[in-house]
Amino acid sequence: MPDFSRHIFMCINQRPKGDPRGCCADSGSVKLQEFMKREVDRLGLKGSVRANKAGCLDHCEYGPSIVIYPEGVWYWAGTEADITEILEQHVIAGRIVDRLLMPGHRPPKRDLNPLRPEASSFKA
């Protein structure tokens, strides 16, 4: 069994139509989560990063919600480019993607550990 260094959870919860809180699935999270799994493979992260489906993460109003552990960093993502940026910057290079941080959640005060230390100079 692989020893994952990161677990990425993305909400794919489906709420009833018209729910005032909104719904990540209605914002495209199912397709984005499938894309995230393909990107993990494309970027050579399979076996060290697990891209998981999640039920409701209680942030429906912001669109597709993502939380990455062990750091506990919360993001929202609306496009495939957002997913790629999170994987390349946060996971590989060890840098917070400020523009995609979930409102109300501060990033950890400690440094992130890049999966590929040589990628810390990676430019978006």
Side-chain angles (χ1 to χ4, degrees):
M1 178 178 227
D3 187 19
F4 298 110
S5 61
R6 299 286 192 298
H7 289 269
I8 306 171
F9 294 91
M10 184 167 200
C11 176
I12 62 164
N13 192 51
Q14 179 69 58
R15 292 192 187 281
K17 296 288 182 203
D19 190 297
R21 293 173 289 183
C23 172
C24 288
D26 285 350
S27 297
S29 67
V30 174
K31 288 186 179 189
L32 288 172
Q33 197 277 334
E34 291 167 356
F35 175 78
M36 181 170 53
K37 286 188 78 156
R38 291 192 305 273
E39 279 293 89
V40 164
D41 192 36
R42 182 187 72 82
L43 294 167
L45 302 173
K46 194 170 185 175
S48 60
V49 173
R50 177 77 179 178
N52 300 287
K53 297 175 186 173
C56 185
L57 295 172
D58 289 325
H59 290 79
C60 315
E61 65 273 21
Y62 300 116
S65 302
I66 297 170
V67 61
I68 301 177
Y69 289 108
E71 300 93 351
V73 176
W74 289 77
Y75 292 108
W76 68 272
T79 68
E80 290 179 355
D82 294 340
I83 298 293
T84 299
E85 185 175 358
I86 289 167
L87 291 173
E88 289 177 344
Q89 293 298 315
H90 179 113
V91 176
I92 294 173
R95 287 196 298 265
I96 297 293
V97 183
D98 290 315
R99 72 177 193 85
L100 296 174
L101 283 172
M102 182 74 66
H105 287 274
R106 296 211 250 193
K109 293 184 188 221
R110 61 184 169 83
D111 291 336
L112 303 178
N113 292 321
L115 284 184
R116 299 183 191 147
E118 72 279 5
S120 62
S121 62
F122 179 83
K123 301 283 185 198

